[in-house]
Amino acid sequence: MEALLTDIPVKEVLRYLGHEGQVIESGLQLQIEKCINSVRNSSKPRLTYTVRDVQDGIINGLDLGGNDIKLLLSSCSQAIIMAATLGPEAEQMLRRSEVMNMSDAVIMDSAQSTAIENVCDNFEAMMRQQYRKEGLYLTDRYSPGYGDLPMESQKKILDILFTEKRIGLTLTPSNIMVPRKSVTCIIGISENKQTLKLRGCASCTLNQNCPYRMGGLCHD
Amino acid sequence: MTENKTVILDGAMGTMLQGRGLRAGEKPELFALTNPQAVEEIQRDYVRSGSRILYSNTFGANRRKLESSVYSVSAVIKANIDIARKAASAVPGTKVALDIGPIGELLSPLGTLSFDEAYDIFKEMVTSGQDAGADLVVFETFTDLQEARAALLAAKENTNLPVWVTMSFEKDGCTFTGTTVPCMAVTLQGLGADAIGINCSLGPEEIFPLIKEMSQWTDLPLIAKPNAGLPDPATGSYFITPDEFAAAMEPFLELGVHAAGGCCGTSPAFIRALSEKAAGSGIEKKPGARRNGVCSSSTMAEYGSTHLIGERINPTGKKMLRQALLDHDMDYIMKIAIQQADAGADILDINVGIPNIDEAALMKEVVQAVQSVVRLPLMIDSSKAEAIEAGLRYANGKAIINSVNAEDSKLEEILPIARKYGAAVVGLAMDRKLPSTVEERLAHARKITECAVKAGIDRADIIIDCLTLTVSAQQDQAPLTLEALRRVRQEMGLHATLGVSNIAYGLPDKSHVTEAFLNLALYNGLDFPIINVNNQGVMDTVTSFRALSGEDKGCKSYIERFAKQQTVVQKPEKHSDSESISLDEAIIKGLGHEAEKATEKLLESMDAMDVVNDRLIPALDKVGDLYEKHVIFLPQLINAANAAGRGFDIIKKRLPKNCDASKGKIIIATVEGDIHDIGKNIVKVVLENYGYDVIDLGKDVPVQTVVERTVKENARLVALSALMTTTVESMKRTIEALRQSGHDCKVMVGGAVLTKEYARQIGADFYTKDPKESADTARRVLGE
């Protein structure tokens, strides 16, 4: 499936920047638009996924640890495991702007976070639509770092998806994904309508001091 | 390898092993130790199907991937080579290749794995493979040219086996890290690969146009090992049949590829079908002139047109750059690199020659920093052989050496280095003394060419510098330089370079004579001008020349450049409206140009230090206050800090030389293992613009480096950043090491996962939640 980057909404970018309604003068407005454009032009999103059977909330051949994921998948018979990245070009562009103009870099960083979320949203929407036709429902996306799903599970996800070979996504020894603007997630597939909401700040390990909370919630 | 038929390789191993009980997550390489029979059977099957080179089951047998295993790298490699050897013995003459894939971590600057570590990991594998009796080494599925370079060097420097390298490309002709087919071909041929090609990622149909392109850029034997078409995205399974695969491989055989096989999704049945198809075909690779040039991993400067070499990374006569090199201030150097790339440079010259420094180490550092932000080919400029070698070793792609001359000792010293790394080389048309005639220059050029070709360097990779001598001192020489240049190009058919700016030395308003000389030199065939690309007149000249010479098709660049300049001209008017704005207001609004103007105005009536203390700092404080009260947000804070910084730069220029405006030194670093440095960089910008002397050690900084630099600089404040729970641990170790060193300093920490309490637990003196707090903390520790 093609990774699609369709939109980098200014509103989202501002939220990542901690914007709380401060006046944005025309110079800054232009700067933000310019940065979003550069991000759009330098992003080469790629994604890969697989669908695995689930038994008693555990994905076949992929025990990730933690209880929250079991809860999420409790009524699911299958799960989608997905990884997406914006690619190294985006990262090099960010590095250049960090050298040349730090405020551009900060805005681009937020725009890139928005962009990779958009790629995931598009993927999720396409999957939801596809499975809906078969009468199936999807859970929310769930990622390492949410709730008690350990960061260490990242490696297992990347391994099972062969992300290095398929989309050029690797992990450093300290479990940082490279390229950095990358996301992995699990989405359960169920016959039942899903009501459990596990996204959002309450279930996030960063909830005490997440910088994005200053400007509202990171997932609404 | 002199057979005139395509050599048949094997097909997939991993999927075949899964069919024989390999579980998901289990390492295929270890199957040789737990289940040798299964591996041997598969490989026997491949030999029966026609494989004449077996790839050993050692793709991931590197020390990183075997870390958790009880077996050593050499044991795993030996076991697998032995099995392949047994399987190969079924048909005499069947060879065993030591198969090596990428390490699985990205090299810096993207990842944290260094070039030298990667080299070392490959070295262990290739020496084990040679000891185990492999007939050749195959590096496959690489996507990063720099990693492939490390691998190839490790094999060439530590074994005497033939080395093949194949990389994996996407449909757009680039690998994941942006390596292009021409850049791969030119770089790896230069570096001594024995055969190159493409494997994995795509099926035969998608790979064929890429391998065809590759054949234009190399005269090495080619290798193709495609997947069985493209897989189903959800299941990863492949659909095409062995016969379809073999049919799709036919164009490869017609093209004359030296070796062909299959990758993911293929099986012995595919190899059998391919082998039958190949039986009737013979290799008829037509030798033709190959395309060539110098390159980075993604940008090719192909011979045949004009390529501008940016001259600005050279400390001669540049005080600020010299200081930046001494301070290892890579940001400053990266800035110059980016500016030149943006201004239109095609190649960047890198010269770090300062007396009494370790030039080789500095060359390595600068080359790596520069190529982390620009994608241009590099020219390694030094008079020292060690520095040249260091530059070439770490420069990704195929670089240019600047330079050798016609002295025997120079040629003997430098040419073997050029040959080893496959670099192009600039030959100065001189020996111990400068030439004074055209003939002398040509004689030197001939000698250099003869020696270079004898040393194994392609004639196409020789660039002659006929020497620009200063017109104010040696007026008779300019026409001679130009005439020699013309003959070097026309009669000898070599490339030519000139350090164009030299012409004007000592003359007023240098631009006129420089531009005129450049025009004449270009007209006489100068194809590698070394120039100041930041100079508008020089670039206007080049743009005009390219339009006149026809290089600029349809005058597109000309129109783009000059249409753009017309709009730029209007800009100053906008500034003049706001000239009367106060420094305070300019900073708060984040207007850099206005802040400079206001600072200059204040300096007419105020003492420089007073401007800092009574205007700049209070304005910044006001900004910090507005940020704290959420009246402005992060980009506005940084824009304000940048505006203050531009004012501060004006002041620094006015201060007497012995007067230090610095408010104290601060060491700043993102800790070992962590590569998130945007937060650190924000804090750095703010602290710098408060007037602190910030020494930035970068990201993923080893504990020991932080301690050493802190002690060496005698810094009283250290700022550490970590974004991940996993790396806060190394923050703790860094703080402990700082304490153990006995050096008296305070440590402030920041980063998303930290809290005040957490910071206290790991022994930090201060937790700073945002850039404003870090500035407040700096003030507390270092004073106003």
Side-chain angles (χ1 to χ4, degrees):
Chain A
M1 179 177 289
E2 292 275 330
L4 288 180
L5 171 59
T6 50
D7 191 17
I8 305 177
V10 181
K11 193 175 140 257
E12 293 295 305
V13 177
L14 286 174
R15 197 174 58 186
Y16 276 111
L17 285 167
H19 182 251
E20 306 167 72
Q22 288 94 338
V23 179
I24 295 174
E25 65 276 20
S26 63
L28 182 58
Q29 181 79 40
L30 272 174
Q31 188 185 6
I32 292 171
E33 279 165 22
K34 189 193 81 190
C35 290
I36 288 178
N37 262 328
S38 313
V39 167
R40 193 175 291 124
N41 295 334
S42 65
S43 297
K44 256 193 181 177
R46 299 187 181 98
L47 69 82
T48 184
Y49 72 97
T50 185
V51 179
R52 291 258 171 152
D53 288 342
V54 170
Q55 215 162 23
D56 303 326
I58 294 177
I59 301 168
N60 208 350
L62 185 68
D63 190 357
L64 296 171
N67 285 314
D68 293 352
I69 186 79
K70 283 184 200 148
L71 192 63
L72 179 84
L73 300 178
S74 56
S75 73
C76 298
S77 53
Q78 286 189 307
I80 301 163
I81 303 142
M82 191 276 278
T85 179
L86 282 193
E89 293 86 354
E91 187 138 339
Q92 194 184 48
M93 192 206 53
L94 190 61
R95 208 174 150 66
R96 283 172 73 123
S97 58
E98 279 177 48
V99 172
M100 299 306 281
N101 183 336
M102 198 58 218
S103 70
D104 280 355
V106 168
I107 297 166
M108 286 182 193
D109 185 60
S110 296
Q112 290 185 346
S113 299
T114 310
I116 190 69
E117 280 301 310
N118 177 261
V119 171
C120 295
D121 287 344
N122 288 333
F123 170 79
E124 190 181 325
M126 281 184 281
M127 286 313 223
R128 213 170 273 285
Q129 201 178 14
Q130 182 185 319
Y131 280 98
R132 197 62 211 96
K133 283 185 202 144
E134 299 169 30
L136 296 169
Y137 298 89
L138 299 191
T139 65
D140 274 349
R141 301 205 284 277
Y142 207 75
S143 297
Y146 288 11
D148 66 356
L149 188 56
M151 289 307 289
E152 289 69 29
S153 61
Q154 204 73 276
K155 184 169 169 30
K156 295 181 191 167
I157 296 177
L158 298 198
D159 280 350
I160 207 164
L161 289 172
F162 300 102
T163 56
E164 184 197 354
K165 212 159 91 178
R166 291 197 186 143
I167 58 171
L169 171 58
T170 64
L171 211 58
T172 71
S174 19
N175 285 323
I176 299 171
M177 284 193 283
V178 181
R180 276 181 288 167
K181 292 298 177 188
S182 302
V183 167
T184 61
C185 69
I186 310 285
I187 307 172
I189 305 170
S190 171
E191 290 176 2
N192 311 321
K193 218 169 185 157
Q194 295 293 305
T195 51
L196 188 64
K197 288 284 168 206
L198 285 175
R199 291 175 68 184
C201 297
S203 62
C204 177
T205 42
L206 279 180
N207 73 29
Q208 284 313 303
N209 53 342
C210 167
Y212 305 133
R213 284 196 86 178
M214 295 186 294
L217 300 176
C218 68
H219 288 109
D220 286 314
Chain B
M1 325 257 150
T2 51
E3 292 167 57
N4 52 8
K5 252 184 217 146
T6 298
V7 180
I8 301 301
L9 308 172
D10 57 11
M13 174 58 81
T15 42
M16 297 297 295
L17 286 174
Q18 278 162 24
R20 291 178 192 247
L22 181 79
R23 290 186 304 272
E26 205 176 345
K27 293 195 168 55
E29 296 80 10
L30 297 181
F31 224 56
L33 296 137
T34 55
N35 211 336
Q37 207 61 38
V39 179
E40 192 185 328
E41 277 166 22
I42 295 165
Q43 290 184 322
R44 270 185 193 282
D45 224 356
Y46 276 124
V47 175
R48 270 197 295 272
S49 306
S51 296
R52 291 299 167 263
I53 296 182
L54 283 177
Y55 282 22
S56 62
N57 175 34
T58 47
F59 185 84
N62 67 58
R63 94 170 61 123
R64 291 290 172 116
K65 285 191 175 160
L66 295 178
E67 211 164 37
S68 55
S69 149
V70 294
Y71 301 103
S72 68
V73 168
S74 62
V76 174
I77 286 179
K78 174 147 189 7
N80 276 297
I81 294 277
D82 285 350
I83 291 171
R85 179 65 67 200
K86 260 166 101 184
S89 66
V91 175
T94 302
K95 290 181 172 156
V96 172
L98 169 69
D99 178 44
I100 298 177
I103 294 166
E105 284 174 35
L106 284 184
L107 264 65
S108 67
L110 277 177
T112 53
L113 185 67
S114 75
F115 183 88
D116 296 335
E117 275 175 279
Y119 174 90
D120 217 47
I121 289 169
F122 290 124
K123 180 181 168 183
E124 183 182 21
M125 296 177 83
V126 293
T127 51
S128 302
Q130 172 156 284
D131 292 347
D135 299 309
L136 68 154
V137 179
V138 176
F139 295 107
E140 62 164 346
T141 329
F142 279 57
T143 56
D144 178 2
L145 186 60
Q146 189 69 327
E147 188 178 3
R149 289 182 70 254
L152 180 52
L153 273 169
K156 283 276 152 192
E157 289 179 349
N158 300 286
T159 75
N160 42 36
L161 299 175
V163 189
W164 293 9
V165 187
T166 64
M167 294 183 72
S168 300
F169 292 85
E170 300 305 295
K171 274 189 214 154
D172 63 1
C174 294
T175 67
F176 292 137
T177 61
T179 301
T180 65
V181 170
C183 293
M184 172 202 169
V186 165
T187 303
L188 297 182
Q189 170 159 359
L191 210 54
D194 295 282
I196 58 172
I198 301 177
N199 77 297
C200 204
S201 195
L202 302 168
E205 273 172 36
E206 297 82 19
I207 286 181
F208 183 69
L210 303 177
I211 205 97
K212 200 169 166 194
E213 186 183 14
M214 191 175 285
S215 71
Q216 297 169 358
W217 290 91
T218 182
D219 28 50
L220 291 177
L222 296 173
I223 309 153
K225 228 175 178 260
N227 289 345
L230 298 173
D232 176 302
T235 59
S237 39
Y238 294 87
F239 306 105
I240 63 172
T241 65
D243 287 337
E244 286 167 344
F245 178 78
M249 288 301 286
E250 225 164 342
F252 292 80
L253 303 173
E254 281 162 22
L255 185 69
V257 296
H258 171 73
C263 206
C264 303
T266 61
S267 66
F270 285 69
I271 297 306
R272 181 174 297 279
L274 172 64
S275 170
E276 282 161 6
K277 197 62 91 185
S281 75
I283 295 181
E284 253 188 274
K285 201 184 169 192
K286 299 151 208 94
R290 77 174 164 113
R291 298 173 72 178
N292 197 356
V294 293
C295 62
S296 65
S297 67
S298 57
T299 310
M300 173 63 67
E302 186 178 0
Y303 295 148
S305 55
T306 315
H307 302 289
L308 313 181
I309 303 175
E311 66 178 13
R312 303 302 293 170
I313 304 181
N314 183 333
T316 314
K318 299 190 194 77
K319 241 196 293 175
M320 302 260 280
L321 175 59
R322 196 188 144 89
Q323 195 56 47
L325 286 167
L326 289 170
D327 293 344
H328 300 269
D329 177 3
M330 290 302 125
D331 273 9
Y332 185 84
I333 291 148
M334 287 191 269
K335 234 178 236 177
I336 301 176
I338 295 169
Q339 277 162 355
Q340 292 185 95
D342 290 347
D346 302 303
I347 296 167
L348 296 184
D349 183 85
I350 300 194
N351 180 316
V352 298
I354 299 174
N356 303 321
I357 51 141
D358 181 349
E359 196 178 323
L362 193 55
M363 181 64 88
K364 170 183 173 183
E365 189 180 356
V366 170
V367 162
Q368 291 188 321
V370 167
Q371 65 193 7
S372 75
V373 288
V374 302
R375 302 186 149 222
L376 298 179
L378 302 180
M379 175 181 249
I380 308 299
D381 184 356
S382 174
S383 55
K384 294 203 172 83
E386 319 85 73
I388 289 176
E389 170 140 30
L392 294 182
R393 195 170 183 85
Y394 297 98
N396 196 357
K398 173 178 166 186
I400 306 174
I401 295 174
N402 188 7
S403 56
V404 296
N405 60 34
E407 281 178 81
D408 291 329
S409 59
K410 258 286 180 248
L411 291 165
E412 281 160 24
E413 192 182 21
I414 305 297
L415 293 178
I417 302 174
R419 161 83 176 124
K420 177 180 174 187
Y421 291 95
V425 59
V426 169
L428 302 182
M430 61 179 279
D431 51 15
R432 256 171 238 286
K433 67 181 203 23
L434 288 170
S436 54
T437 66
V438 171
E439 275 313 321
E440 271 180 75
R441 286 173 165 93
L442 294 180
H444 291 316
R446 273 191 288 271
K447 179 180 175 188
I448 292 166
T449 307
E450 219 169 86
C451 293
V453 170
K454 210 181 281 170
I457 293 163
D458 193 336
R459 201 182 148 86
D461 288 326
I462 302 167
I463 305 169
I464 298 296
D465 185 338
C466 291
L467 301 167
T468 310
L469 302 173
T470 306
V471 71
S472 61
Q474 288 166 281
Q475 202 164 11
D476 60 324
Q477 290 296 313
L480 303 186
T481 299
L482 292 168
E483 172 60 7
L485 162 65
R486 187 188 65 77
R487 292 180 62 185
V488 159
R489 294 285 288 142
Q490 283 180 6
E491 291 171 17
M492 301 178 72
L494 300 172
H495 303 291
T497 185
L498 279 177
V500 174
S501 310
N502 272 352
I503 197 74
Y505 194 77
L507 287 176
D509 207 348
K510 298 185 180 75
S511 61
H512 304 298
V513 72
T514 307
E515 285 160 34
F517 181 67
L518 175 60
N519 248 324
L520 292 168
L522 289 167
Y523 178 73
N524 280 291
L526 176 65
D527 55 349
F528 286 93
I530 304 177
I531 53 176
N532 179 1
V533 292
N534 298 334
N535 182 299
Q536 190 177 319
V538 163
M539 292 304 281
D540 288 349
T541 302
V542 172
T543 310
S544 305
F545 174 79
R546 280 172 166 167
L548 292 169
S549 73
E551 250 178 69
D552 176 13
K553 296 264 177 308
C555 303
K556 247 175 95 183
S557 307
Y558 185 92
I559 293 165
E560 196 185 323
R561 178 175 181 85
F562 294 106
K564 216 196 247 171
Q565 276 186 10
Q566 276 172 355
T567 53
V568 172
V569 173
Q570 292 163 5
K571 242 187 173 171
E573 288 171 29
K574 200 179 129 205
H575 286 309
S576 60
D577 289 345
S578 46
E579 234 174 303
S580 57
I581 211 171
S582 73
L583 180 57
D584 189 73
E585 198 183 345
I587 290 175
I588 291 170
K589 287 190 172 163
L591 303 171
H593 180 81
E594 286 73 4
E596 281 177 359
K597 284 250 144 120
T599 307
E600 271 164 1
K601 206 162 185 191
L602 286 173
L603 285 172
E604 287 168 13
S605 58
M606 275 175 83
D607 174 64
M609 276 323 280
D610 289 344
V611 177
V612 174
N613 292 325
D614 299 344
R615 299 295 169 95
L616 264 173
I617 301 288
L620 269 176
D621 282 344
K622 204 186 270 180
V623 169
D625 196 42
L626 293 173
Y627 176 70
E628 207 159 45
K629 290 182 179 140
H630 300 209
V631 178
I632 60 170
F633 71 128
L634 192 57
Q636 292 166 320
L637 173 75
I638 300 169
N639 280 337
N642 278 333
R646 286 176 66 170
F648 203 73
D649 284 343
I650 300 270
I651 290 165
K652 271 195 266 187
K653 280 185 205 148
R654 300 287 173 85
L655 284 174
K657 289 210 174 58
N658 55 357
C659 174
D660 186 9
S662 167
K663 296 184 170 301
K665 276 183 190 167
I666 302 172
I667 299 276
I668 190 165
T670 297
V671 298
E672 191 164 2
D674 207 322
I675 49 176
H676 298 89
D677 57 356
I678 197 156
K680 177 214 72 181
N681 288 340
I682 295 169
V683 169
K684 175 186 162 190
V685 165
V686 171
L687 290 174
E688 274 179 345
N689 292 322
Y690 261 91
Y692 296 103
D693 187 2
V694 183
I695 299 162
D696 180 8
L697 305 185
K699 61 188 180 184
D700 184 25
V701 185
V703 170
Q704 213 37 48
T705 308
V706 176
V707 176
E708 279 166 17
R709 284 302 291 277
T710 306
V711 173
K712 187 177 159 222
E713 302 288 348
N714 193 20
R716 298 272 152 246
L717 181 59
V718 178
L720 299 175
S721 163
L723 196 84
M724 310 272 293
T725 40
T726 44
T727 52
V728 171
E729 188 48 40
S730 70
M731 182 179 262
K732 187 175 168 216
R733 283 190 289 117
T734 309
I735 297 171
E736 281 166 2
L738 278 168
R739 303 293 185 226
Q740 270 164 21
S741 74
H743 179 74
D744 177 26
C745 66
K746 298 286 183 200
V747 180
M748 64 175 169
V749 298
V753 294
L754 285 165
T755 59
K756 203 168 184 170
E757 177 54 25
Y758 205 176
R760 200 186 53 77
Q761 278 173 22
I762 61 170
D765 299 293
F766 304 99
Y767 164 69
T768 56
K769 74 170 169 31
D770 59 31
K772 164 74 169 57
E773 275 197 13
S774 65
D776 293 343
T777 305
R779 185 174 304 184
R780 271 172 71 187
V781 176
L782 301 174
E784 293 279 336

